[in-house]
């Protein structure tokens, strides 16, 4: 069980997603991508897994496709934020194609009298019911079998009315960060919104497409999680952290690890400098999860333009401190 809570108002049913698309940004994850894809596909309500190969030099793309993922490749490493945008765009393209094909509501009917002048053949009849776009679940490419443990995030968004559910991960074996980037991000989010997240850099999160569009354009590189949280909260959406037993490869204290953290800090500071400073109302939560933002009621948000602020970054496809 997770620490997720239902608002006193109850979940918002109107136009809520009923299915989920998983988006996995990945770079050089050939050793881990296959079990990650299969575990992600096993999550209830997931019916599409997209892997964005962000300039890998190994067999990540081929192995992901073999495991059942829909794969798109960047010719060069463009960074996590750009990979997230590419993955979401591919999901949208797939949904557009499904609607063009008629989807599950498609049928053909034969008519003795043509309904269209000059046309006597079968005409498509598409069910008029509206199908909400899939929610997006972002996962790291190195989670392997533990990726299935992201299911509580899906439940929170689909069943409880949460707009963006963020994974709270257990302590990771081998993690050796000093916490500077985490503290910087946490303090910046608190200043901007009044809410202090436990794991502000957690990239494993499930969110509705309404939230996704409202948070465009994304901050580049490693600032994406910080900006997503601030923009969702200042947009009046319901954001919650939910415990998930997820595991990934930790970053050590060697030179490579320190360079990675320096890049993270740079991008987080840049993201904080660009976000708005508005505090939304806080929601009480009594069962272990941490959340803030609106209770689940209709919110009219103007969709933003998909993309990433600034130029492309050259970072790996996962985040950790």
């Amino acid at each position: 069980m997770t620490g997720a809570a239902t608002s006193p108002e109850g979940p918002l049913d109107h136009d809520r997603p009923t299915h989920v698309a998983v988006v996995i940004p990945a770079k050089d994850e050939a050793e881990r991508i296959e079990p990650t894809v299969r575990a992600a596909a096993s999550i209830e309500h997931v019916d599409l897994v997209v892997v964005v190969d962000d300039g890998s030099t190994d067999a990540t793309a081929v192995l992901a496709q073999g495991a059942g993922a829909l794969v798109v490749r960047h010719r060069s490493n463009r960074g996590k934020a750009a990979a997230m945008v590419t993955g979401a765009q591919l999901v949208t393209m797939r949904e557009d194609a499904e609607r063009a094909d008629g989807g599950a509501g498609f049928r053909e009917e034969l008519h003795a009298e043509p309904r269209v002048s000059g046309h006597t053949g079968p005409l498509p009849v598409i069910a008029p019911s509206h199908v909400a776009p899939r929610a997006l679940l972002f996962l790291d490419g190195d989670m392997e079998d533990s990726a299935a443990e992201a299911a509580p995030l899906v439940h929170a968004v689909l069943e409880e009315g949460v707009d963006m559910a963020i994974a709270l991960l257990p302590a990771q074996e081998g993690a050796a960060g000093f916490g500077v980037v985490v503290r910087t991000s946490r303090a910046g989010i608190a200043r901007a919104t009044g809410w202090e997240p436990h794991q502000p850099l957690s990239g494993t999160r499930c969110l509705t497409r309404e939230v996704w569009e409202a948070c465009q354009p994304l901050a580049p590189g490693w600032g994406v999680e910080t900006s997503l949280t601030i923009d969702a909260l200042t947009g009046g959406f319901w954001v919650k952290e939910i415990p998930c037993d997820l595991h990934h490869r930790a970053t050590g204290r060697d030179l490579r690890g320190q360079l990675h953290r320096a890049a993270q800090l740079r991008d987080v500071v840049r993201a904080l400098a660009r976000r708005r400073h508005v505090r939304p109302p806080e929601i009480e939560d009594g069962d272990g999860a941490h959340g803030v933002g609106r209770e689940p009621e209709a919110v009219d948000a103007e969709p933003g333009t998909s993309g990433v602020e600034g130029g492309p970054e050259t970072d790996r496809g996962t985040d950790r401190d």
Side-chain angles (χ1 to χ4, degrees):
M1 293 295 293
T2 73
T6 302
S7 164
E9 298 295 327
L12 176 64
D13 295 325
H14 179 64
D15 272 351
R16 296 298 297 185
T18 58
H19 292 84
V20 175
V22 174
V23 176
I24 306 176
K27 182 179 185 295
D28 295 330
E29 293 290 359
E31 295 182 4
R32 300 171 178 84
I33 195 66
E34 287 181 287
T36 301
V37 168
R38 294 193 179 101
S42 73
I43 298 173
E44 187 177 7
H45 302 298
V46 169
D47 63 355
L48 177 63
V49 178
V50 173
V51 170
V52 182
D53 182 353
D54 192 27
S56 294
T57 57
D58 61 10
T60 294
V62 173
L63 294 172
Q65 187 172 18
L70 184 65
V71 178
V72 60
R73 296 189 64 188
H74 289 166
R75 291 185 179 181
S76 60
N77 181 216
R78 295 171 55 190
K80 182 176 182 179
M84 292 170 67
V85 170
T86 296
Q89 289 174 339
L90 190 58
V91 173
T92 298
M93 291 171 62
R94 171 56 66 92
E95 290 173 342
D96 288 344
E98 291 170 349
R99 282 191 290 271
D101 289 341
F106 175 82
R107 68 181 187 274
E108 288 185 337
E109 294 181 353
L110 291 175
H111 297 266
E113 297 295 329
R115 291 181 293 172
V116 179
S117 177
H119 187 102
T120 58
L123 293 175
V125 178
I126 300 176
S129 58
H130 171 71
V131 178
R134 292 174 175 90
L136 299 174
L137 173 61
F138 292 98
L139 298 175
D140 290 343
D142 59 353
M143 288 182 165
E144 299 185 279
D145 293 339
S146 78
E149 300 301 322
L153 305 180
V154 171
H155 177 83
V157 172
L158 268 57
E159 306 295 337
E160 297 177 4
V162 175
D163 296 307
M164 182 162 67
I166 305 173
L168 278 175
L169 278 64
Q172 302 293 299
E173 182 179 355
F178 296 100
V180 175
V181 185
V182 170
R183 290 193 297 271
T184 300
S185 177
R186 181 185 295 132
I189 292 171
R191 285 194 302 270
T193 69
W195 182 57
E196 187 172 293
H198 286 245
Q199 293 183 7
L201 300 181
S202 176
T204 302
R205 50 185 73 196
C206 185
L207 61 157
T208 67
R209 298 286 272 286
E210 183 183 14
V211 177
W212 174 256
E213 295 296 339
C215 292
Q216 303 299 313
L218 301 180
W222 304 112
V224 62
E225 290 85 13
T226 301
S227 71
L228 273 174
T229 300
I230 292 175
D231 286 347
L233 290 173
T234 56
F237 294 101
W238 190 12
V239 177
K240 293 182 72 173
E241 292 182 308
I242 297 176
C244 296
D245 191 22
L246 297 162
H247 299 272
H248 57 62
R249 183 177 62 254
T251 302
R253 288 188 178 178
D254 57 7
L255 177 59
R256 182 177 180 181
Q258 296 308 312
L259 291 174
H260 170 77
R261 291 188 184 90
Q264 277 188 309
L265 183 60
R266 174 201 65 203
D267 291 345
V268 166
V269 170
R270 288 176 177 174
L272 290 172
R274 293 169 176 162
R275 294 2 254 182
R276 293 169 292 171
H277 291 256
V278 180
R279 294 191 178 188
E282 188 169 345
I283 289 179
E284 291 186 2
D285 188 357
D287 64 352
H290 307 276
V292 68
R294 69 169 175 86
E295 295 182 1
E297 57 186 20
V299 169
D300 295 326
E302 290 295 329
T305 303
S306 294
V308 180
E309 292 182 352
E313 299 288 335
T314 56
D315 298 317
R316 291 183 54 81
T318 56
D319 67 314
R320 50 189 62 92
D321 179 44

